Amino acid sequence: MTEFNWTRDQFHLPEGVVYLDGNSLGPLPKATPARVAQVMRPEWEELLIGGWTAAGWHMMPETLGDRIAALIGAEPGHVVVGDTLSIKIYQALAAALALRPERRVILSDTGNFPSDLYMAEGLARTLGNGTRLVTVAPEEVAGALTEEVAVLMLTEVDYRTGRRHDMTALTDAAHEVGALTLWDLAHSFGALPVDLAAAGADFAAGCTYKYINAGPGAPAFVYVAPAHANAAGTALQGWQGHAAPFDFDLAYRPANQIARMRVGTPPVLQLAALEAALDIWEKVDIADVRTRSIALSERFIAGVEATCPQLRLASPRDPDRRGSQVSFHFEDGYAAMQALIARGVIGDFRAPDIMRFGFTPLYVGEAEVDRAIATLAEIMAGRLWDRPEFKVKAMIT
Ligand SMILES: *Cc1c(COP(=O)(O)O)cnc(C)c1O
């Protein structure tokens, strides 16, 4: 049983703030500053370059990869940490395409995060062999699976609406036509139970700064199923993914299995922040997180629908078909979100009209949900969003 009073106490949150944006950037764990400081002093200060071995820096992408593997139902030794999610998507997609050389279609959906689609388009153009990205509406994915499809590339939980794909069913359907799957876990990892091995996923990638709370710019991770681990080529043949990086061979030879997905020098300070964040997850049962996330989300939907008739639910009503966020359509959603933030309730806005709220049971409970509902109701009833200062678009929403 997860102790949510304990988990809440592991985070710093500013006084008076209701934080419903942990799906974009998780808050600071109390243990993180000291863990990061330790890398600087004494590790870096005293060990200098010796830190790569003496402090274990060099192996962190793999040791932390194993800790992540345990949280997403991946086999140990098949997850590695590094780079950003966009880059890991590119690498995994390139590897998957190379395993289906006779096919030319990457299938995705129009709800996918633009960066994933941009990366796919860029890769297709670089390949220059007729590979193309095809996107269909999320509910049409299964029907669009044909024997032309090399890779089905999907984000399990839609970043805008929270709509969740059925990973197992779609992976089965992809395999039925001989396609491989690449799952983006950006809004799944830390939000709901994920079991990559049970689902039969071929490739997966995710980030650690959202629900995992590893901090701004924290590195991503990539999973390659054991069946593909020694066949997968990586388009990004960096020296750290070489079989013997310190031989400085002129010829590239990929490292065994997942280590080949490493690219360059790992970001050790960020990895230390990830390590501190993962320590909290050691004491968390994701099934408890899911149960509580659904309870909080249902409470929020009921409260908002009872008090804010101007808002229309954008997320699926069935909690099984949602991730850990709830979104509402509202024409002046941007201004309304600014008004909410000005009153200490932090969510975010996604164009064109989505107000998005993330529910993260590690540090959000019923009291926060109730305050968010009451604040939103007050803003709606009094049209408090209708002020010029709330309509000035910031660069980051
Ligand atoms: C957050 C997110 C990203 C961000 O990618 P970065 O390279 O880490 O900036 C990519 N894809 C999805 C689906 C996301 O939700």
Side-chain angles (χ1 to χ4, degrees):
M1 201 55 199
T2 307
E3 282 299 329
F4 288 107
N5 286 333
W6 178 84
T7 60
R8 174 187 292 254
D9 193 46
Q10 303 312 303
F11 293 92
H12 279 295
L13 278 165
E15 199 57 45
V17 161
V18 172
Y19 195 56
L20 304 181
D21 213 2
N23 52 315
S24 249
L25 177 67
L28 174 68
K30 288 179 182 168
T32 299
R35 178 66 191 94
V36 174
Q38 181 195 332
V39 172
M40 290 191 263
R41 185 172 272 156
E43 293 178 6
W44 179 14
E45 184 180 47
E46 297 297 331
L47 299 170
L48 295 161
I49 198 158
W52 287 108
T53 41
W57 297 343
H58 179 68
M59 289 310 291
M60 285 175 90
E62 285 154 70
T63 52
L64 296 183
D66 277 341
R67 290 180 65 181
I68 290 174
L71 298 171
I72 54 175
E75 302 81 351
H78 293 278
V79 172
V80 74
V81 177
D83 312 297
T84 74
L85 179 49
S86 304
I87 288 171
K88 275 357 208 181
I89 288 287
Y90 187 93
Q91 251 188 315
L93 185 57
L97 286 169
L99 293 172
R100 289 291 178 273
E102 70 291 356
R103 298 186 179 203
R104 292 288 177 270
V105 171
I106 304 161
L107 179 63
S108 191
D109 72 39
T110 51
N112 206 344
F113 191 75
S115 195
D116 297 36
L117 302 176
Y118 302 159
M119 291 313 254
E121 262 174 14
L123 174 57
R125 192 173 322 116
T126 303
L127 288 171
N129 62 359
T131 297
R132 62 186 202 284
L133 171 68
V134 173
T135 51
V136 298
E139 55 281 6
E140 281 160 18
V141 168
L145 278 165
T146 66
E147 299 202 344
E148 276 189 311
V149 176
V151 185
L152 174 62
M153 177 186 82
L154 293 174
T155 297
E156 185 188 15
V157 176
D158 187 303
Y159 75 102
R160 236 196 256 116
T161 63
R163 177 204 35 75
R164 178 192 192 184
H165 276 305
D166 184 335
M167 186 189 289
T168 304
L170 285 170
T171 299
D172 286 349
H175 289 167
E176 214 134 281
V177 298
L180 295 172
T181 54
L182 165 53
W183 287 99
D184 186 325
L185 305 177
H187 297 278
S188 311
F189 181 35
L192 42 83
V194 175
D195 195 335
L196 291 175
D202 299 289
F203 293 86
C207 54
T208 61
Y209 49 79
K210 292 173 180 162
Y211 291 90
I212 300 303
N213 315 307
F221 65 89
V222 64
Y223 164 79
V224 181
H228 308 306
N230 274 334
T234 162
L236 304 175
Q237 298 189 164
W239 73 298
Q240 296 261 325
H242 192 280
F246 288 91
D247 283 0
F248 299 104
D249 249 339
L250 292 188
Y252 178 79
R253 268 185 303 126
N256 239 353
Q257 306 212 339
I258 198 67
R260 66 183 54 190
M261 300 305 263
R262 292 179 66 151
V263 182
T265 303
V268 177
L269 291 165
Q270 300 261 221
L271 288 167
L274 172 57
E275 191 170 53
L278 287 173
D279 286 346
I280 298 173
W281 288 94
E282 296 280 320
K283 304 211 172 60
V284 170
D285 182 342
I286 191 72
D288 297 336
V289 171
R290 178 67 173 157
T291 303
R292 210 160 147 66
S293 142
I294 289 176
L296 295 173
S297 304
E298 294 286 281
R299 187 183 184 97
F300 185 69
I301 292 172
V304 171
E305 289 190 330
T307 54
C308 306
Q310 304 87 338
L311 269 54
R312 186 165 53 83
L313 186 65
S315 301
R317 196 164 287 282
D318 174 1
D320 284 342
R321 298 192 48 237
R322 283 199 307 265
S324 202
Q325 66 178 66
V326 171
S327 303
F328 284 94
H329 295 286
F330 177 55
E331 208 183 339
D332 290 290
Y334 180 80
M337 185 53 75
Q338 299 316 303
L340 260 180
I341 294 170
R343 285 164 180 77
V345 178
I346 303 180
D348 62 22
F349 172 79
R350 288 292 173 264
D353 66 346
I354 298 254
M355 298 179 74
R356 190 171 73 152
F357 303 89
F359 295 93
T360 48
L362 262 49
Y363 49 86
V364 170
E366 283 84 2
E368 284 80 14
V369 169
D370 292 348
R371 199 181 126 202
I373 296 165
T375 310
L376 187 54
E378 189 188 318
I379 288 169
M380 286 298 146
R383 285 181 67 93
L384 304 180
W385 50 268
D386 195 6
R387 291 168 55 170
E389 72 263 33
F390 293 143
K391 296 181 183 175
V392 182
K393 280 261 159 95
M395 194 170 73
I396 293 174
T397 60

